[in-house]
């Protein structure tokens, strides 16, 4: 079988494949001691019950049921769902958007595939790339581009904070934009690091993007308006040159595959056209389950009353546990936690790599994600930092966190060759 170059690339050892594989195996096979590797949102009973109520209401209404199961929606998305999203965003943030500013995709993951490939690639002989202004970035962006080498990753500066924390900052001096940049994109808060780019950093990037006439793309999968798992200091940013992506996944509906893109109408029209070609339409089920919750803004209550407190409590508990468990005399550091469902641990100056640590921990029943995959476009062998980090999903039950923290502490000691 001969695959195309692109086929070879996406069928190869992509980081996201390894992640999904490990997750699937770990959840279906022998139960690991600590499942810190997953990207699934936690199952929060109040959230599940809310969706159950919506589903039951739809199931007992033959007209809605028929429409939800038996019709394709338009490639742009379900009309009532889109109108509800527009109203919610205008009520919450006063963005002044219309339905033409919205495109719904089958999950934001496939939305990014379409959006990035609409923008990046060769145009009139010039290779145009997606600038990732702070890398590490979301693992799911890597390998998305049909034309290779179309990411322009920027290494951040690292600000060490106290004994055991750090924060990535935009390396302003490395930022310049020319014809070869097709868009600037980042997740806020960032999966995997828990970083939230500051308002000042976002404004600087927005100004650069506007000046160059390219869109600023902000992936808000964990951010505002829902689930809103981001610290208060990060103000949501939007202007007429910005694309914001939202998702129903991190508010408890990952299997429904609903991504929501908000941006300039011509670009959203192009995204809907791409959606028609690739998917015909996006799945309706999630849009039906959520649309009354969005229209009534009950989804905001779900976020503020249930999802945000859950992650705040888990994050505080897990952070304390990890800080107390890891060997105090070694120079490991966690990224300051400003949002998302993850912690990012850096073993500064360690002798071994994150992939080696991943294998060590896996043998002992602790699943994490090695950091090397979160550096799209960067040859990690040229940057020791990129081989010294792991991502930890902290939203696990107490017993798992406690057992996992102990084994992680052994792993960190082993990383530095002290055991
Ligand atoms: C930052 C970020 N963006 C986008 C996605 C894709 O989410 P979905 O396709 O489920 O909307 C994820 C999923 O983990 C993510 O973490």
């Amino acid at each position: 079988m001969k695959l195309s170059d692109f086929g070879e690339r996406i069928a190869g050892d992509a980081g996201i494949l390894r992640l999904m594989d490990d997750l699937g195996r770990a959840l279906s096979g022998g139960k690991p001691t600590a499942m810190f590797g997953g990207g699934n949102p936690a199952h929060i009973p109040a959230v599940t019950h809310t969706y159950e109520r919506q589903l039951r209401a739809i199931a007992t209404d033959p007209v809605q049921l028929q429409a939800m199961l038996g019709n394709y929606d338009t490639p742009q998305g379900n009309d009532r769902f889109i109108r509800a999203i527009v109203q919610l965003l205008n009520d919450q943030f006063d963005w002044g958007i219309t339905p033409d500013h919205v495109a719904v995709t089958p999950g934001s993951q496939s939305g990014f595939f379409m959006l990035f490939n609409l923008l990046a690639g060769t145009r009139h002989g010039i290779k145009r790339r997606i600038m990732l202004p702070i890398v590490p970035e979301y693992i799911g962006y890597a390998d998305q581009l049909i034309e290779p080498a179309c990411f322009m990753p920027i290494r951040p500066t690292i600000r060490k904070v106290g004994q055991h924390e750090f924060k990535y900052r935009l390396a302003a001096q490395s930022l310049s934009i020319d014809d070869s940049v097709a868009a600037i994109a980042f997740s806020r808060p960032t999966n995997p690091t828990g970083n939230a780019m500051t308002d000042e950093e976002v404004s600087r990037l927005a100004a650069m993007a506007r000046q160059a006439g390219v869109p600023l793309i902000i992936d808000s999968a964990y951010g505002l308006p829902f689930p809103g798992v981001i610290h208060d200091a990060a103000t949501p940013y939007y202007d007429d040159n910005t694309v914001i992506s939202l998702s129903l996944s991190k508010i408890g509906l990952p299997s429904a595959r609903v991504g929501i893109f908000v941006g300039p109408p011509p670009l959203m029209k192009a995204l809907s056209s791409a959606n028609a070609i690739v998917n015909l339409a996006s799945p309706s089920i999630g849009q039906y389950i959520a649309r009354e919750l969005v229209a009534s803004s009950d989804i905001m209550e779900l976020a503020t009353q249930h999802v945000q407190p859950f992650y705040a409590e888990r994050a505080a508990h897990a952070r304390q546990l990890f800080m107390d468990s890891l060997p105090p005399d070694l120079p490991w550091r966690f990224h300051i936690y400003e949002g998302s469902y993850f912690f990012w641990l850096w073993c500064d100056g360690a002798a071994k790599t994150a992939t080696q640590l991943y294998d060590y921990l896996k043998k002992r029943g602790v699943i994490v994600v090695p950091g090397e995959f979160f550096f799209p476009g960067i040859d990690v062998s040229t940057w020791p930092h990129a081989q010294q980090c792991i991502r930890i999903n902290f939203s696990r039950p107490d017993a798992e966190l406690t057992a996992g923290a102990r084994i992680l502490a052994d792993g960190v000691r082993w990383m530095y060759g002290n055991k």
Side-chain angles (χ1 to χ4, degrees), residues 126-147:
I126 296 178
K127 193 179 185 80
R128 288 165 58 79
R129 299 181 291 168
I130 307 286
M131 178 192 278
L132 303 174
I134 288 188
V135 168
E137 247 306 350
Y138 172 47
I139 197 169
Y141 300 157
D143 301 303
Q144 283 229 330
L145 294 175
I146 294 172
E147 191 171 321

Side-chain angles (χ1 to χ4, degrees), residues 21 89 94 113 121 125 127 136 141 150 178 282 315:
D21 226 38
L89 293 177
D94 203 16
F113 178 79
K127 193 179 185 80
Y141 300 157
C150 276
D178 59 23
S282 302

